[in-house]
Amino acid sequence: MRVSSLVARPLAVEAGPRPNPLPAGEGTPFLLPIVFLSGFTSLAIELAGSRLLAPYFGTSLYIWAVLVGLILLYLTAGYFIGGRLGDRHARPMLLYQLTAWAAFITSIIPLLARPILSFSAIGFANLDAGVFLGSLTGVVLLFAAPVTLLGCVSPFAIRLQLRTVESAGHTSGRVYALSTLGSILGTVLPVFVLVPAIGTPRTFYVLSLALLSLSVAALWRRRSWYFWLLLAPACLLILPPAVLRPAPFGTLLYATESDYYYIQVVQQDTATGPENDLILDEGHAVHSIYNPNQLITGGPWDYFMVAPFFDQGFRPAQLHAAAIIGLAGGTIARDLTAVYGAIPIDGVEIDPTIIQVGRTYFGMTEPNLNAIAEDGRYYLTTTTKTYDLIGIDAYRQPYIPFHLTTAQFFRQVRAHLTPNGVAVLNAGRTETDYRLVDVIASTMKAVFPNVYVIDLPAPQINSIVVGTNQPTALANFAASASAVTDPTLRQVAATALNAGRVREVTASPTVFTDDWAPVEKVIDEIILGYARSGTGEIR
C-alpha cells in the first residue's frame, strides 16, 4: 500500500480589492487648493467667531473653552462623515458641492447670529442665566454646519487622491499637511489683517467668497447654477458695515473693532450737560466718563484722587508722579491733573485704539499725560521709573486679566513705588457679594504693609482697594481729609468717610499667584448667585 505524504503548500492569498484609482486629471487642479482653503476657513471661522461673541459674552477662558470644544466636535463629526462619503461616493463633484455649501452658510452666520446675540443681552439684563447661556449655545451651534462640512474635506480628498494601499501614508500625510498649513494661515490672517481692516462680519463674507469662488470654479462644467450662490457674500461685502451690538443706553457716537475690544462711545444727557461713556465688549461696565462741565463723576475714578490720604500727614504737594495701569479714556488722569496740577502721569493702556478714542471723545489731551500702548504688567517689568501713586483700573468687567491679580504682580507694583507711595485698585462686586474684593485685598495684604478698602456708595457696586508702601494707620485718612483745602478732594474724602465704610484689611487668608489665580471662577460664582436671586442676594 502506497502512502501518500502530505506536502505543505503555501496558501494562495488573493489580494483584496484595492481602491479604485482616480481617473487621470479628475479632481485637479482644484482638489489640493480646496484642501488648503478649507483648512484655512475652518480655523478662521473659529477666530472670527470669537470676535463675533466678544461684544456679548466677552473673551473669558470659559467662552474660549466652549467655542474651541464645539469646533473640535464639529470637525470630528466632519472627519467621520467625510470618510464614509469618500468610500461610498468617491466623486470630486460631491466634495466641491460640500465646500460650496459650507462657504455659503459661512456668509450668513453674522446675519443669523445678530438676533440671537441681542436675545442674550436681554437675558443678561434680566439676570436670566438660562436665556444668556441658551443664546451662547445657539450662536455656537451656527458654526456646526459649515465647520462639519469643512471637516469632511481632508478624509474625502485622501480617498480621491489614493491610488494604491502602498501610497496611503504618503497621500494622507500630504493632504493633512496641506490642510494644516491652511489652518496656520487661518489663525494669522484674520487676526492681523482681516478683522482689523474690515471688521468681523466682513471677515466672514471674505472667507465665504474665497472658498465659494474656488468651489464654483470646480463645479462650473456640471453645476454652473452654483454661480448664483456667489451673489450672497458679494452683495453683503458692498453693504455698509453693520453695528455688532446696539448701544446699551443713550446715543451711539462711535463704534469700532480694535485688535483687543469692540469699542463703543455712548452719549447720554445729564443735569450738567452731555456725558460720554466708554463701553467695551459686553457692555456690562462703563470704563471712562467725560463731562466737560463736571469733574466729579460719582464713580470709582474719583477715589483714586484720595488714595494717598492714608499716608500720615499727607499733603497734595507731596504727589509728584503717577502711573495708571488701564488708562482707558483718561478719566483718572483728568482727575489727578485737576487736583494735583500738571504732575507727570504715565498712562498704560493695552489697546492703542482706545487711546485714540480717549483723545477724540474724552478730552484726553493733558500735556502732562504720557499715553503708553502696552500691557500693564509688561510695562512694570521693563520700566525703571518710580511713582507716588500707581492706579490699577484694568479690571474690565465682568472678567479681568488674571495676571494683574497675583502676588507677583503686586510685588512689581510695590517695587515701582516711592517710599511713601500708594497702590490703588478698582474692583467690582454686587451689593452683598465681596468675594472678588476680598481676594484682591487679601492678595495685596500679602505684599503691602497695610491695605484698606473703600466701598462706593449705592448705586455703585465697586470697591477701592489701597495698599501703602510704608506702615500706615486707618486714622490717617480722616486726618488728611480734614487738612486738605482743595474742594474736590474734600468732597470725595467726605463721601468716602460718610458712606464708604472705610476699613483696614488685617488678614491674608487667600493669595492669588501666577500659578493659581482662579479669578474667572470667582466672578462666575458672583454672577450666578446674583442671577439666582435677582436682587444681588447670594442664596
Side-chain angles (χ1 to χ4, degrees):
M1 181 175 67
R2 188 175 179 182
V3 180
S4 17
S5 59
L6 297 176
V7 179
R9 298 180 181 178
L11 295 176
V13 180
E14 295 186 3
R18 293 176 180 268
N20 295 326
L22 186 68
E26 189 171 359
T28 58
F30 297 104
L31 184 60
L32 294 181
I34 282 286
V35 169
F36 178 84
L37 202 52
S38 296
F40 169 83
T41 305
S42 62
L43 261 292
I45 286 176
E46 180 178 340
L47 288 169
S50 70
R51 293 304 298 262
L52 193 68
L53 296 176
Y56 295 85
F57 300 101
T59 55
S60 76
L61 190 62
Y62 296 142
I63 299 299
W64 268 106
V66 170
L67 179 60
V68 173
L70 287 178
I71 291 292
L72 290 175
L73 179 64
Y74 303 152
L75 287 173
T76 301
Y79 297 150
F80 178 81
I81 295 170
R84 296 291 296 271
L85 285 176
D87 285 341
R88 295 185 179 185
H89 309 284
R91 300 191 306 272
M93 290 299 110
L94 176 58
L95 177 61
Y96 301 145
Q97 290 177 60
L98 296 179
T99 57
W101 283 112
F104 175 77
I105 297 171
T106 297
S107 71
I108 61 176
I109 285 177
L111 301 179
L112 297 176
R114 191 168 294 120
I116 301 175
L117 290 169
S118 299
F119 193 54
S120 76
I122 297 173
F124 191 91
N126 295 331
L127 302 176
D128 191 331
V131 171
F132 185 72
L133 296 175
S135 301
L136 172 62
T137 303
V139 173
V140 177
L141 285 175
L142 292 176
F143 305 139
V147 175
T148 301
L149 291 174
L150 292 171
C152 294
V153 173
S154 291
F156 204 129
I158 290 171
R159 176 61 183 89
L160 294 177
Q161 286 276 289
L162 198 63
R163 298 297 193 277
T164 63
V165 173
E166 289 77 8
S167 66
H170 173 73
T171 300
S172 59
R174 181 175 58 173
V175 169
Y176 276 112
L178 190 61
S179 175
T180 303
L181 284 174
S183 297
I184 292 171
L185 185 62
T187 64
V188 174
L189 193 61
V191 172
F192 292 100
V193 179
L194 294 178
V195 171
I198 60 177
T200 299
R202 289 187 171 188
T203 295
F204 278 97
Y205 306 151
V206 167
L207 297 175
S208 170
L209 192 59
L211 182 59
L212 190 53
S213 297
L214 189 59
S215 302
V216 169
L219 291 166
W220 183 255
R221 287 179 299 167
R222 302 183 185 179
R223 302 284 191 276
S224 59
W225 67 269
Y226 273 87
F227 168 81
W228 297 105
L229 292 181
L230 288 168
L231 293 179
C235 291
L236 290 170
L237 266 175
I238 64 175
L239 292 176
V243 174
L244 284 184
R245 183 174 58 79
F249 55 84
T251 302
L252 183 65
L253 296 183
Y254 177 78
T256 190
E257 288 184 85
S258 72
D259 293 343
Y260 296 91
Y261 305 114
Y262 181 60
I263 302 169
Q264 291 180 306
V265 179
V266 177
Q267 187 175 89
Q268 57 178 333
D269 293 327
T270 69
T272 57
E275 172 187 286
N276 291 352
D277 295 342
L278 177 64
I279 310 294
L280 302 180
D281 282 347
E282 310 98 303
H284 302 154
V286 175
H287 297 269
S288 286
I289 287 178
Y290 175 64
N291 183 337
N293 304 315
Q294 180 71 37
L295 182 65
I296 294 180
T297 65
W301 311 279
D302 299 341
Y303 295 83
F304 284 69
M305 294 185 285
V306 298
F309 284 18
F310 288 101
D311 278 331
Q312 185 175 6
F314 172 77
R315 297 294 182 268
Q318 295 174 261
L319 192 68
H320 302 290
I324 302 167
I325 307 299
L327 177 63
T331 303
I332 297 172
R334 178 172 177 250
D335 287 351
L336 293 178
T337 301
V339 297
Y340 291 108
I343 61 171
I345 299 175
D346 289 329
V348 185
E349 170 56 54
I350 194 171
D351 192 342
T353 305
I354 291 180
I355 293 175
Q356 293 301 322
V357 169
R359 289 169 176 160
T360 304
Y361 294 96
F362 292 85
M364 201 177 74
T365 56
E366 295 86 0
N368 57 305
L369 173 62
N370 175 32
I372 302 166
E374 281 185 359
D375 175 81
R377 185 158 177 180
Y378 176 80
Y379 174 76
L380 291 178
T381 302
T382 56
T383 188
T384 58
K385 293 183 177 181
T386 58
Y387 304 94
D388 299 307
L389 182 148
I390 296 179
I392 303 158
D393 193 28
Y395 290 6
R396 181 178 57 84
Q397 303 297 329
Y399 295 106
I400 61 183
F402 89 93
H403 66 294
L404 301 183
T405 68
T406 67
Q408 288 87 343
F409 168 68
F410 291 122
R411 289 192 191 105
Q412 287 182 298
V413 172
R414 188 180 180 191
H416 289 281
L417 289 175
T418 57
N420 292 313
V422 297
V424 52
L425 179 149
N426 171 28
R429 55 176 173 81
T430 70
E431 294 175 358
T432 58
D433 194 330
Y434 283 75
R435 272 179 280 194
L436 178 61
V437 176
D438 291 342
V439 75
I440 295 296
S442 176
T443 302
M444 289 180 67
K445 178 58 181 172
V447 175
F448 293 95
N450 295 91
V451 174
Y452 307 94
V453 176
I454 304 172
D455 294 335
L456 272 67
Q460 298 290 329
I461 49 174
N462 297 73
S463 291
I464 302 300
V465 186
V466 180
T468 62
N469 200 19
Q470 293 292 330
T472 54
L474 182 61
N476 293 346
F477 189 87
S480 297
S482 63
V484 75
T485 58
D486 183 273
T488 301
L489 290 175
R490 290 182 68 89
Q491 181 178 343
V492 175
T495 303
L497 288 168
N498 295 331
R501 207 163 64 91
V502 183
R503 61 196 182 277
E504 183 175 1
V505 177
T506 58
S508 184
T510 305
V511 177
F512 278 178
T513 67
D514 286 349
D515 295 328
W516 182 79
V519 65
E520 290 178 332
K521 179 176 181 292
V522 172
I523 295 173
D524 279 335
E525 290 172 351
I526 294 173
I527 292 174
L528 290 175
Y530 194 79
R532 282 195 297 267
S533 68
T535 62
E537 295 293 336
I538 304 301
R539 297 177 182 174

